[in-house]
C-alpha cells in the first residue's frame, strides 16, 4: 500500500507531475485513465458515486487537468475549455454585461481582440485599447472609463512587450476593476500572475502547456470561490468544455513543462543573440536581451524569458521571403510546441486585426523556437536570411 505524497510544500516540477495525478484507486493504474463516458450511474436518483453525473458538467480526466492547472498557477480553481478563446469567452461573459467596458492592451493576441470587439461588442460590451506598459496612460483610462476589467498579456504577442503585473494589479484594484493576465507565453513555469496580484489567469493550453502541437485547449485559473462559481456556471451552461482525450493530452504535456520551458529559453536566447546585428535584421524583440525595454521587469517577475523571438526585417517583402525560406522552422500558425515554427503575423496570426488599433507591421516575423539542436536552428535561420 502506498500513500499519496503530501504535496503542500512540493516544488513546481513535483506538482506538475503529481498534482491531480493519483493512481487510479480501482485498478492501480499509475497514470489516471482517460474517462470517455459521457454519463455516470446514479445509485438511486441523485445518488452520485464520485460527484459526476454528465460529461459537460464534469469528467474525472478534466478534473485531473483542472487540479493540475490550479495548483501550478497558485490558484484555487482551474477550469478547462475547448480552446483558449472559449476560455476567454466564458470568463468575459461571466464578468461583463451590456454597457460594461474593458481595457485591453494594444498588443493583445488578435483573436482576443476580435472576440472583444466583434463578438462581445455586438452584445453591448465596450472596449478601449491602451498601452499597458505605460502606467500613466492606464491610470488615465481607468479614471475616464471606469472599466470592470483590464486584460493584459505579458510578454505580449507578437512584440513581447512586458507589463509590470504587480504595479498594474495595484492600479487596477485601486479603481475597483479586475486584472486578467493571459499567461500563455510565459506559462506558470516562468511566471505566476496570481501570486503577483492578478485576479485571473487565462491560457491557450494549445501552446506551451500542451507543448506538442497536438491538442487545442484553454484554461481559466482563479482564487476567489464566488467568482470561480460564476465562470464554472458559464462553462457548464454554455458548454465549451475540453473533451477527455484533449484534457488527458494536455495533462501529459504539462508534466514536462518546466524542463521544456528551460530549454525553449536557452534556444531562444541563442537565436536572438545570433540575429542581433545580422545585416538583414533591423531589430530583435526578445525579453532576455538586456536592451529589450521590458528586460528588467521580466527578470524581476519571471524566472525565464520564454521561447518566442520576433524579428524585424527591412520591409514586408523581406519578412515574407525570410518566413518562406526556412527549412527546419516550419511555416505555420501557433507556437509553443517542441518543433520550431515561423509565422508572418501580419498575414497569418494577426490578419484579423488589420485596420484596427492592434494592426501589426508587415515587416516582422515571429519565431517559436523549439527544442531541436540549437546549432541546427541557428544554421537554418542563417541560410534563410541569406536568401532575403
Ligand atoms: C493562441 C492564443 C490564444 C487563443 O487560444 P486558442 O487556443 O487558439 O483559442 C490566446 N492568447 C494567446 C496569447 C495565444 O497565443
Amino acid at each position: 500500500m502506498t500513500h499519496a505524497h503530501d504535496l503542500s510544500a512540493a516544488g513546481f516540477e513535483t506538482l506538475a507531475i503529481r498534482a491531480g495525478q493519483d493512481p487510479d484507486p480501482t485498478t492501480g493504474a499509475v497514470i489516471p485513465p482517460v474517462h470517455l463516458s459521457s454519463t455516470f450511474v446514479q445509485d438511486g436518483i441523485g445518488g452520485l458515486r464520485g460527484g459526476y453525473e454528465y460529461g459537460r458538467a464534469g469528467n474525472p480526466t478534466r478534473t485531473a487537468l483542472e487540479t493540475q492547472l490550479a495548483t501550478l498557477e497558485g490558484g484555487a480553481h482551474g477550469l478547462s475549455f475547448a480552446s483558449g478563446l472559449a476560455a476567454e469567452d466564458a470568463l468575459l461573459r461571466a464578468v461583463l454585461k451590456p454597457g460594461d467596458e474593458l481595457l485591453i492592451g494594444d498588443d493583445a493576441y488578435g483573436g482576443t481582440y476580435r472576440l472583444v470587439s466583434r463578438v462581445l461588442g455586438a452584445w453591448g460590451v465596450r472596449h478601449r485599447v491602451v498601452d499597458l506598459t505605460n502606467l500613466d496612460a492606464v491610470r488615465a483610462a481607468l479614471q475616464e472609463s471606469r472599466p470592470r476589467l483590464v486584460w493584459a498579456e505579458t510578454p505580449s504577442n507578437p512584440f513581447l512587450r512586458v507589463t509590470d503585473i504587480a504595479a498594474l494589479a495595484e492600479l487596477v484594484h485601486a479603481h475597483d476593476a479586475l486584472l486578467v493576465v493571459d499567461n500563455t507565453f510565459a506559462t506558470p513555469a516562468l511566471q505566476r500572475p496570481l501570486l503577483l496580484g492578478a485576479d485571473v489567469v487565462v491560457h491557450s493550453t494549445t501552446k506551451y502547456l500542451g507543448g506538442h502541437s497536438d491538442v487545442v485547449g484553454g484554461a481559466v485559473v482563479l482564487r476567489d470561490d464566488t467568482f470561480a462559481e460564476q465562470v464554472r456556471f458559464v462553462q457548464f451552461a454554455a458548454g465549451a468544455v475540453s473533451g477527455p482525450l484533449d484534457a488527458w493530452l494536455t495533462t501529459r504535456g504539462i508534466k514536462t513543462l518546466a524542463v521544456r520551458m528551460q530549454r525553449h529559453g536557452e534556444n531562444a536566447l541563442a537565436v536572438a543573440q545570433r540575429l542581433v546585428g545580422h545585416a538583414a535584421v533591423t531589430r530583435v524583440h526578445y525579453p532576455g536581451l538586456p536592451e529589450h525595454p521590458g528586460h528588467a521587469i521580466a527578470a524581476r517577475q519571471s524566472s525565464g524569458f520564454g521561447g518566442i523571438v520576433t524579428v524585424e526585417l527591412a520591409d514586408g517583402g523581406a519578412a515574407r521571403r525570410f518566413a518562406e525560406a526556412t527549412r527546419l522552422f516550419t511555416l505555420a500558425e501557433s507556437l509553443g510546441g517542441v518543433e520550431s515554427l515561423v509565422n508572418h503575423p501580419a498575414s497569418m496570426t494577426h490578419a484579423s486585426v488589420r485596420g484596427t488599433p492592434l494592426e501589426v507591421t508587415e515587416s516582422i516575423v515571429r519565431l517559436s523556437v523549439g527544442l531541436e539542436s540549437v546549432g541546427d536552428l541557428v544554421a537554418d535561420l542563417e541560410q534563410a536570411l541569406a536568401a532575403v
Side-chain angles (χ1 to χ4, degrees):
M1 177 80 192
T2 56
H3 297 276
H5 182 74
D6 175 16
L7 293 176
S8 55
F12 186 87
E13 289 84 348
T14 306
L15 294 172
I17 293 166
R18 298 293 186 161
Q21 298 296 302
D22 291 337
D24 181 45
T26 53
T27 62
V30 168
I31 300 303
V34 186
H35 290 275
L36 292 170
S37 189
S38 60
T39 188
F40 298 82
V41 65
Q42 306 195 5
D43 297 317
I45 295 170
L48 309 180
R49 294 184 185 179
Y52 298 101
E53 55 188 340
Y54 181 61
R56 173 159 40 71
N59 165 291
T61 312
R62 201 170 90 217
T63 303
L65 170 60
E66 292 182 332
T67 302
Q68 193 185 27
L69 289 165
T71 307
L72 295 184
E73 283 288 1
H77 307 276
L79 294 91
S80 161
F81 291 86
S83 71
L85 286 174
E88 296 182 11
D89 179 47
L91 170 65
L92 290 169
R93 282 198 278 164
V95 177
L96 301 170
K97 53 185 192 319
D100 285 346
E101 179 153 328
L102 72 87
L103 282 189
I104 184 165
D106 60 358
D107 188 23
Y109 171 67
T112 301
Y113 184 73
R114 179 177 54 204
L115 172 69
V116 164
S117 61
R118 293 173 59 188
V119 179
L120 294 171
W123 293 92
V125 170
R126 296 172 301 134
H127 69 277
R128 178 187 287 232
V129 177
V130 63
D131 174 3
L132 294 175
T133 64
N134 177 350
L135 292 180
D136 290 333
V138 176
R139 188 177 296 108
L142 284 165
Q143 280 162 0
E144 217 173 292
S145 57
R146 295 270 150 205
R148 274 286 289 137
L149 181 152
V150 176
W151 191 281
E153 205 182 295
T154 182
S156 67
N157 182 2
F159 284 106
L160 303 154
R161 292 195 188 115
V162 176
T163 302
D164 185 333
I165 297 171
L168 184 63
E170 201 177 311
L171 193 55
V172 168
H173 293 155
H175 292 82
D176 296 321
L178 295 166
L179 176 61
V180 180
V181 174
D182 182 334
N183 203 28
T184 298
F185 271 36
T187 83
L190 304 182
Q191 168 177 290
R192 268 163 283 174
L194 296 179
L195 306 186
L196 295 165
D199 300 286
V200 190
V201 161
V202 300
H203 277 284
S204 169
T205 58
T206 314
K207 315 294 169 50
Y208 287 108
L209 295 185
H212 297 74
S213 306
D214 53 11
V215 57
V216 172
V220 172
V221 184
L222 64 184
R223 299 173 103 166
D224 184 80
D225 297 343
T226 310
F227 190 7
E229 249 352 280
Q230 290 163 350
V231 182
R232 203 169 281 288
F233 175 73
V234 179
Q235 181 195 39
F236 167 68
V241 295
S242 49
L245 283 171
D246 290 356
W248 189 86
L249 278 170
T250 307
T251 281
R252 185 168 73 161
I254 290 173
K255 291 178 183 179
T256 55
L257 180 67
V259 67
R260 283 188 287 108
M261 290 314 292
Q262 189 175 346
R263 183 62 68 86
H264 277 298
E266 288 166 16
N267 287 359
L269 181 63
V271 161
Q273 284 170 340
R274 180 63 196 90
L275 295 176
V276 169
H278 190 290
V281 171
T282 311
R283 196 163 161 202
V284 179
H285 300 267
Y286 183 64
L289 295 173
E291 63 267 31
H292 185 280
H295 177 71
I297 297 169
R300 198 168 66 230
Q301 72 185 8
S302 52
S303 59
F305 304 103
I308 308 297
V309 178
T310 294
V311 191
E312 254 175 81
L313 289 93
D315 52 35
R320 284 166 172 273
R321 284 194 296 281
F322 174 47
E324 290 180 345
T326 58
R327 295 178 192 141
L328 192 51
F329 279 82
T330 305
L331 181 63
E333 308 218 358
S334 200
L335 57 98
V338 294
E339 64 292 312
S340 295
L341 301 179
V342 57
N343 159 52
H344 185 241
S347 44
M348 295 168 66
T349 49
H350 290 66
S352 71
V353 290
R354 191 169 287 157
T356 78
L358 278 76
E359 181 167 303
V360 168
T361 168
E362 290 273 332
S363 60
I364 61 160
V365 170
R366 191 189 71 194
L367 303 171
S368 174
V369 182
L371 305 184
E372 300 92 338
S373 308
V374 68
D376 295 340
L377 295 175
V378 169
D380 185 42
L381 296 174
E382 280 176 346
Q383 69 77 27
L385 285 171
V388 167

